[in-house]
């Protein structure tokens, strides 16, 4: 005998619904929208994006980070002062080179010239100051001095780094001592040696001195050669190459950054040197640009406009070369310092 249970006695045992679901599963992910939004074009089921921050809230931290500090202000102030100190003498020399004798004697150093196209002082410097002959002598000395420095410096660095011999460490110590000894203290003995060879008052005297007294170039080449793996030398020796062939065909082509650095630094140093040409080149026809500019104090002692024009002629080539090749200078020093 069965008894029918009514609706009041029935017990529901179906799945429990939590939240918006109707299938008995609990949703724990981000809130989604099952229907596509026709206004925004967002697909069905895509998460609802968080409300965007205002532009003022985003820009506020950036503005706080850009507030200059005292250290930053002092840094920029020191840079401005250094720039002013460097450029002020150049500006005075340039303005003076464009003035006449009356403007130089009657005005101050920073007064503007009456005619900005007044090039008569440059013509005087070239003709009566013999600047063209001085440029030729300087170019001759530069060519042979830089070429000899590159060859001697790279060969010396290659021998010191790649070969083991007795006295290798004392040689490096002597190189270091040579860089610490002032060159002026040895000029008496050096002059006697050059005079014994009969090279005084010849252009070969400064060439030999520039080639034989540059220890810095040896260190520059040595740092670069140490970065070249010795496996290249070993592979070349297996093919029958000797030491000079390895240097000429493997080592030297890989030293292009170091060569560029040495050429620029040695060239600027030789170009601006005054002491050696003045001491060993007595004839006026053998003068370099530095000694030619120094001789302006004789016939043009009271004509600062002609002296300033000659100074500008000396400065411009160096300035152009440095601006065009400064990337090689900085890269060469940086690479040489980290290798």
């Amino acid at each position: 005998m069965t008894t029918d249970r009514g609706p009041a006695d029935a017990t529901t045992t179906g799945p429990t619904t939590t939240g918006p679901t109707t299938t008995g599963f609990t949703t724990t992910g981000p809130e989604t929208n099952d229907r596509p939004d026709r206004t925004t074009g967002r697909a069905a089921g895509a998460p609802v994006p968080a409300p965007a921050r205002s532009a003022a809230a985003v820009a506020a931290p950036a503005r706080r980070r850009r507030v200059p500090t005292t250290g930053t202000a002092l840094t920029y102030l020191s840079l401005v002062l250094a720039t002013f100190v460097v450029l002020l003498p150049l500006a005075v020399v340039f303005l003076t080179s464009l003035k006449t004798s009356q403007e130089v004697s009657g005005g101050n150093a920073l007064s503007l010239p009456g005619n900005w196209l007044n090039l008569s002082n440059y013509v005087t410097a070239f003709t009566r100051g013999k600047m063209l002959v001085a440029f030729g002598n300087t170019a001759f000395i530069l060519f042979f001095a830089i070429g000899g420095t590159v060859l001697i410096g790279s060969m010396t660095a290659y021998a010191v780094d790649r070969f083991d011999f007795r006295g290798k460490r004392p040689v490096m110590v002597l190189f270091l001592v040579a860089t610490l000894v002032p060159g002026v203290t040895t000029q008496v003995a050096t002059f006697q040696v050059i005079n014994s060879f009969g090279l005084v008052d010849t252009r070969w005297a400064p060439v030999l001195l520039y080639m034989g007294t540059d220890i810095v170039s040896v260190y520059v080449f040595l740092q670069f050669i140490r970065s070249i793996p010795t496996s290249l030398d070993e592979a070349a020796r297996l093919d029958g190459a000797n030491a000079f062939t390895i240097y000429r065909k493997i080592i030297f082509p890989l030293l292009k950054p170091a060569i560029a650095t040495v050429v620029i630094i040695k060239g600027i140093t030789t170009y601006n040197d005054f002491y050696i040409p003045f001491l060993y080149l007595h004839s006026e026809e053998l003068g370099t640009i530095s000694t030619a500019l120094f001789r302006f104090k004789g016939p043009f002692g009271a004509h600062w406009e002609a002296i300033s024009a000659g100074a500008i002629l000396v400065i411009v080539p160096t300035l152009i070369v440095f601006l065009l090749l400064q990337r090689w200078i900085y890269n060469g020093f940086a690479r040489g310092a980290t290798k």
Side-chain angles (χ1 to χ4, degrees):
M1 182 176 178
T2 60
T3 305
D4 297 331
R5 283 186 279 183
D9 299 331
T11 315
T12 59
T13 60
T16 305
T17 61
T18 59
T21 59
T22 57
T23 59
F25 300 99
T26 304
T27 59
T28 59
E31 184 181 357
T32 58
N33 188 6
D34 293 338
R35 295 183 180 182
D37 194 342
R38 295 181 179 180
T39 59
T40 61
R42 189 171 62 250
V48 179
R53 296 166 59 187
S54 62
V58 175
R63 285 199 298 268
R64 285 197 296 268
R65 287 195 298 267
R66 293 176 182 175
V67 175
T69 61
T70 304
T72 304
L74 292 176
T75 300
Y76 282 104
L77 179 61
S78 62
L79 291 175
V80 171
L81 291 177
T83 304
F84 179 78
V85 170
V86 171
L87 295 182
L88 181 60
L90 297 177
V92 171
V93 172
F94 176 71
L95 292 176
T96 306
S97 67
L98 299 176
K99 296 178 183 179
T100 60
S101 300
Q102 293 77 14
E103 291 175 340
V104 172
S105 59
N108 55 36
L110 294 176
S111 62
L112 299 180
N115 183 13
W116 288 89
L117 298 179
N118 181 23
L119 302 179
S120 59
N121 297 321
Y122 294 93
V123 175
T124 302
F126 250 105
T127 55
R128 298 179 59 185
K130 298 182 179 181
M131 293 296 294
L132 188 59
V133 177
F135 273 112
N137 294 329
T138 305
F140 178 88
I141 296 173
L142 279 173
F143 178 78
F144 288 99
I146 293 176
T149 300
V150 169
L151 290 177
I152 295 175
S154 59
M155 287 183 178
T156 304
Y158 172 67
V160 170
D161 184 70
R162 288 297 198 263
F163 296 97
D164 293 326
F165 51 90
R166 287 185 178 182
K168 180 177 180 179
R169 189 175 183 85
V171 167
M172 297 301 299
V173 174
L174 290 175
F175 281 162
L176 180 60
V177 171
T179 60
L180 300 178
V181 176
V184 180
T185 59
T186 61
Q187 282 303 319
V188 175
T190 304
F191 186 86
Q192 292 178 353
V193 172
I194 297 297
N195 190 28
S196 63
F197 289 143
L199 297 177
V200 176
D201 204 18
T202 63
R203 290 181 294 185
W204 292 107
V207 169
L208 293 178
L209 291 175
Y210 289 138
M211 286 193 303
T213 58
D214 192 1
I215 307 299
V216 177
S217 63
V218 176
Y219 279 101
V220 172
F221 285 119
L222 189 61
Q223 294 298 322
F224 276 84
I225 290 177
R226 286 174 178 173
S227 66
I228 300 175
T230 56
S231 59
L232 298 177
D233 301 29
E234 296 171 356
R237 290 186 184 278
L238 292 177
D239 292 337
N242 54 23
F244 182 74
T245 304
I246 295 174
Y247 164 78
R248 182 171 57 89
K249 293 188 176 181
I250 297 178
I251 302 298
F252 192 78
L254 294 177
L255 293 178
K256 290 181 180 179
I259 293 173
T261 303
V262 171
V263 166
I264 295 168
I265 298 174
K266 186 66 177 180
I268 294 177
T269 304
T270 304
Y271 184 86
N272 294 327
D273 186 37
F274 169 77
Y275 183 74
I276 290 179
F278 180 75
L279 184 62
Y280 292 93
L281 302 177
H282 304 153
S283 301
E284 188 174 353
E285 294 77 13
L286 297 176
T288 60
I289 56 171
S290 57
T291 56
L293 184 62
F294 175 75
R295 292 191 177 101
F296 271 36
K297 71 179 182 63
F300 306 105
H303 298 279
W304 289 103
E305 66 278 2
I307 297 176
S308 299
I312 293 297
L313 292 175
V314 173
I315 294 172
V316 168
T318 308
L319 184 62
I320 293 175
V321 171
F322 180 79
L323 292 178
L324 293 177
L325 303 179
Q326 60 179 331
R327 178 174 61 89
W328 291 93
I329 299 176
Y330 298 144
N331 291 345
F333 273 123
R335 294 180 61 179
T338 55
K339 289 184 178 181

